Amino acid sequence: MPDTSKAATLYAPSRRVVLGLALALAAPALIGRHALADGLVDPFTLGVASGDPAPDGFVIWTRLAPQPLAEDGGGGLSADAPVTFEVAEDPGFRTVVRRGRARASAALGHSVHVEVAGLKPGRPYWYRFAAMGAQSAVGTARTAPAAGAAVDHLRFAFASCSHWELGWFSAYRHMAAENPDLVLFLGDYIYEYSYKSERDAARLVRRHDRREEIIDLAGYRNRYALYRTDPDLQALHACAPCLVTWDDHEVQNDYANRWSQDVATPEAAFLKRRRAAYQAFYEHMPVRRWSRPTPEETRVYGRFGYGALADFTVLDGRQYRSIQPCARPDSRKGWVAPASCTDRVEPARTMLGARQEAWLYDGFGRAKAQWNIIAQDLLVADIKQRDRDGALGHWTDGWDGYPANRKRMLDALAQSKARNPVFLGGDIHSFWTTDLKADFNNPGSATIATEFVGAAVTQDGPPANAFTSVMQDNPHVKFYNGVTNGYVSVDLTPRRMDTRLVAISDRRDKAATASTLKAYVVEDGRPGAVEA
Ligand code: FE
Ligand code: CA
């Protein structure tokens, strides 16, 4: 369910949007996007998207960008532009239930976020936009079931870590083909850096238009725009609403809160860069007004309900965290810190920040759904790995850099009696199935929650043997695979959660196939995945 403190803004139509003015609108001539008359340009090069589904509506999104990679980041437009939208109960738009006007403002990169409300729960709708004499592609979105309603089945899929240059987005194409009700993007949706060396160039399938690391608003806007020109990603966004959080590469590798990974970058300079990145994120994602950047924060964490069946809690693991422990003098990049790094286990350290932690634990205490899905960016389980000297240590940039917060989170879950908690994550470019334990040093301790982490859409896996050589030190890991790309697909019913780890045959093959690498069942009332 939506966070109640935000309910007023969640359900209020955006002030920029005038709803229900069908008769007053002089509708522009609607021209199919592939049949533009002479002299007209297609402003819908980035497709359409929907997100944040509620029982009575969702966000529909587009961005006008006749020249998506225009150097100034403006998409080929300068002035604000009017846009109209329609939401219908059928794909042919015979029964249009909402119709209105929005403004694509230059200040927000000519993006349009319409919070559609007043719809019926638990059913599909079709939507489209028109502007500049052209019409967008048609998108489909499903409203969430009514709060507390019985739900037989929900299908969702999640993905992370899609570097444009390293491969085709076949994972996204196969996700769309599964016809999910909901899609989760768990971070590294874009990458801020490009590959430059000769050695790397030989293995790339395509190039970023900008090779320098992006650091300003025009750069981040163009990076999202480039990724959104991909037909597989457009198809995925058009087929289902999404929930989205970010990881580091939406801003910069391994950043934490206001700290760049580069020790020489002052906090003020990094915060300026982060603000530009967060703004471009907002402009390109189908998120609600409460995610609009303010000088204080850009809020992406939230709660979304699917009737009595499931609650999704989406977390932000980057914006509010403590600085990584035991940073080396020359770089704040994550590394495997040895046991002598006592900073790591400091109780005051937080991954989520005090406010998000309090909000999360309060939500656990009030959880009523059958399944409590926590969607976030990182592997949660404690993983002992070998440092350069061969000693066992922990990676400082993930949850292993913040074990006190992890313990508070799992303790809060255990005490809350929230049913069937399942964590989903990304970032580590590999598939993981783990048991999240009350005490990771005691294999006999209770399993508090189940965890699934998805492989990267295109990114490289971890170095060979980085984890396979330490599996005996991590008995709560049930499965690990770091040599394939892919995504995770879930079928949820009141009795069980069926999870498939889906492998993509070859990221370099535009027509790559998908196959189930492993399948797991989580049964209602029994934490921990069992191989199907
Ligand atoms: Fe990544
Ligand atoms: Ca990452």
Side-chain angles (χ1 to χ4, degrees), residues 161 186-188 191 246-250 252-254 318 377-378 397 426-429:
C161 298
L186 299 185
D188 295 355
Y191 279 79
W246 49 37
D247 192 36
D248 51 342
H249 291 285
E250 280 82 356
Q252 183 208 40
N253 179 59
D254 286 4
R318 286 286 162 188
D377 47 335
L378 302 152
D397 183 61
D427 168 64
I428 193 161
H429 305 172

Side-chain angles (χ1 to χ4, degrees), residues 150-172:
V151 179
D152 294 344
H153 177 234
L154 167 68
R155 171 172 287 183
F156 64 92
F158 64 92
S160 58
C161 298
S162 44
H163 197 296
W164 174 268
E165 297 184 312
L166 287 173
W168 304 106
F169 290 168
S170 298
Y172 290 150

Side-chain angles (χ1 to χ4, degrees), residues 306-430:
Y306 263 76
L309 182 63
D311 272 355
F312 289 85
T313 300
V314 177
L315 300 183
D316 177 346
R318 286 286 162 188
Q319 185 172 195
Y320 314 106
R321 56 160 75 183
S322 308
I323 199 165
Q324 289 96 339
C326 305
R328 291 160 299 173
D330 57 330
S331 169
R332 296 198 191 100
K333 276 185 195 170
W335 65 299
V336 179
S340 59
C341 169
T342 52
D343 242 18
R344 193 180 70 85
V345 297
E346 272 294 308
R349 295 179 47 68
T350 178
M351 169 71 90
L352 303 175
R355 265 179 55 205
Q356 188 179 192
E357 277 198 55
W359 169 89
L360 178 64
Y361 308 153
D362 177 62
F364 288 160
R366 293 187 289 113
K368 290 199 180 73
Q370 188 89 1
W371 296 89
N372 285 282
I373 313 289
I374 300 106
Q376 47 87 58
D377 47 335
L378 302 152
L379 175 77
V380 176
D382 181 302
I383 303 295
K384 296 186 183 76
Q385 24 186 325
R386 299 273 165 200
D387 71 9
R388 287 174 191 165
D389 304 321
L392 284 176
H394 286 92
W395 181 251
T396 57
D397 183 61
W399 277 102
D400 273 339
Y402 303 78
N405 189 162
R406 176 172 58 204
K407 180 95 173 87
R408 286 192 294 276
M409 180 166 74
L410 294 177
D411 285 352
L413 256 184
Q415 283 156 21
S416 74
K417 308 242 174 10
R419 287 181 76 112
N420 299 318
V422 180
F423 282 81
L424 314 178
D427 168 64
I428 193 161
H429 305 172
S430 38

Side-chain angles (χ1 to χ4, degrees), residues 30 48-51 56-61 84-100 114 116-117 119-130 135-143 179-181 235 237-241:
L30 297 182
V48 298
S50 69
D56 77 334
F58 35 72
V59 179
I60 57 173
W61 172 96
T84 60
F85 67 88
E86 292 178 304
V87 180
E89 290 187 346
D90 62 290
F93 289 81
R94 283 181 296 276
T95 309
V96 172
V97 292
R98 285 288 179 280
R99 183 178 267 141
V114 179
V116 182
L119 305 181
K120 296 170 196 162
R123 62 149 293 154
Y125 288 92
W126 287 262
Y127 63 92
R128 64 186 174 190
F129 297 91
Q135 187 172 289
S136 75
V138 173
T140 314
R142 189 172 264 281
T143 48
N179 197 20
D181 299 307
H237 276 294
C239 86

